[in-house]
Amino acid sequence: MLIGYARVSTTEQTLALQRDALKSAGCAKIFTDTASGSTTERKGLDEAFSQLRAGDVLVVWRLDRLGRSLRHLIETITALNDQGIGFKSLTEQIDTTTSGGKLIFHIFGALAEFERDIIRERTQAGLQAARARGRKGGRPKLSGTDRKVELARKLYEERKTPINDICRGLNISRATLYRYLKTRPS
């Protein structure tokens, strides 16, 4: 069974063009959303997914109607594929139920993975360059004579204030409090 999904971003836009294209493609059911592409909650899409069964095909007018990003699109289509559900985009003429459509989809997936690897490599190179210039990542370490550390130690040693109250008052976690207690005053 062909199940259609259409989405527009604002209430000023109309679903008519997408609905007509999905009906012409032979979709038995069409689910819709009026939501921004970046929105994670899409009730129409969730409903469409709940109706899909192995052997069915999810049909969209264009790829950007389904995915928030290339990565999200690939994850979604991969999840459909794992359940034995096909995917078809009318405008881009991608149909994962055909060998040519699968090829195009795998090329998209390879490009997305390549992009993630490039970003990871750039990040690592930037961190190495910063270390070479003497910079360290993370929060600066507090010395044992820092005012906040001394106050935490004093409140803890007095044993009048509960640990949760000390943490809340100093806006620190319990682990940070114990790390403060381990530091030696200089």
Side-chain angles (χ1 to χ4, degrees):
M1 178 187 322
L2 298 179
I3 294 181
Y5 174 69
R7 180 185 62 79
V8 290
S9 300
T10 65
T11 53
E12 290 84 38
Q13 296 173 327
T14 179
L15 290 162
L17 173 69
Q18 293 179 55
R19 277 184 196 265
D20 291 345
L22 293 170
K23 281 180 187 174
S24 294
C27 292
K29 296 179 183 177
I30 299 173
F31 298 91
T32 63
D33 277 318
T34 301
S36 167
S38 62
T39 304
T40 56
E41 184 181 325
R42 295 192 235 165
K43 291 183 175 143
L45 184 58
D46 292 341
E47 198 173 336
F49 285 159
S50 72
Q51 296 289 312
L52 289 164
R53 302 289 177 255
D56 289 347
V57 178
L58 178 67
V59 183
V60 295
W61 179 60
R62 283 181 43 166
L63 286 173
D64 64 350
R65 302 295 87 196
L66 178 63
R68 296 188 313 267
S69 64
L70 179 60
R71 184 179 196 170
H72 177 255
L73 183 66
I74 290 169
E75 289 170 358
T76 302
I77 296 173
T78 301
L80 291 172
N81 188 43
D82 291 345
Q83 297 173 30
I85 299 167
F87 172 77
K88 189 173 186 178
S89 172
L90 301 176
T91 305
E92 290 85 5
Q93 297 180 356
I94 295 173
D95 185 350
T96 63
T97 62
T98 68
S99 56
K102 286 179 185 174
L103 173 66
I104 295 297
F105 177 69
H106 286 295
I107 290 171
F108 281 168
L111 290 172
E113 187 175 341
F114 175 71
E115 179 186 24
R116 285 191 300 272
D117 289 345
I118 293 293
I119 290 169
R120 189 178 310 117
E121 288 172 8
R122 283 189 202 139
T123 301
Q124 291 301 320
L127 290 171
Q128 287 177 350
R131 282 188 211 109
R133 290 190 308 273
R135 293 189 176 165
K136 293 181 183 177
R139 210 174 257 203
K141 302 276 188 235
L142 293 177
S143 71
T145 58
D146 187 273
R147 209 177 101 219
K148 199 171 188 179
V149 175
E150 288 177 346
L151 180 58
R153 187 178 290 114
K154 180 182 172 198
L155 290 170
Y156 180 80
E157 289 170 356
E158 286 176 352
R159 300 202 185 277
K160 293 179 183 173
T161 310
I163 291 177
N164 286 340
D165 292 347
I166 295 171
C167 294
R168 198 174 310 117
L170 295 175
N171 197 25
I172 59 173
S173 69
R174 188 178 278 258
T176 300
L177 172 66
Y178 290 121
R179 209 170 16 258
Y180 283 0
L181 297 174
K182 287 181 184 177
T183 61
R184 302 277 179 233
S186 303

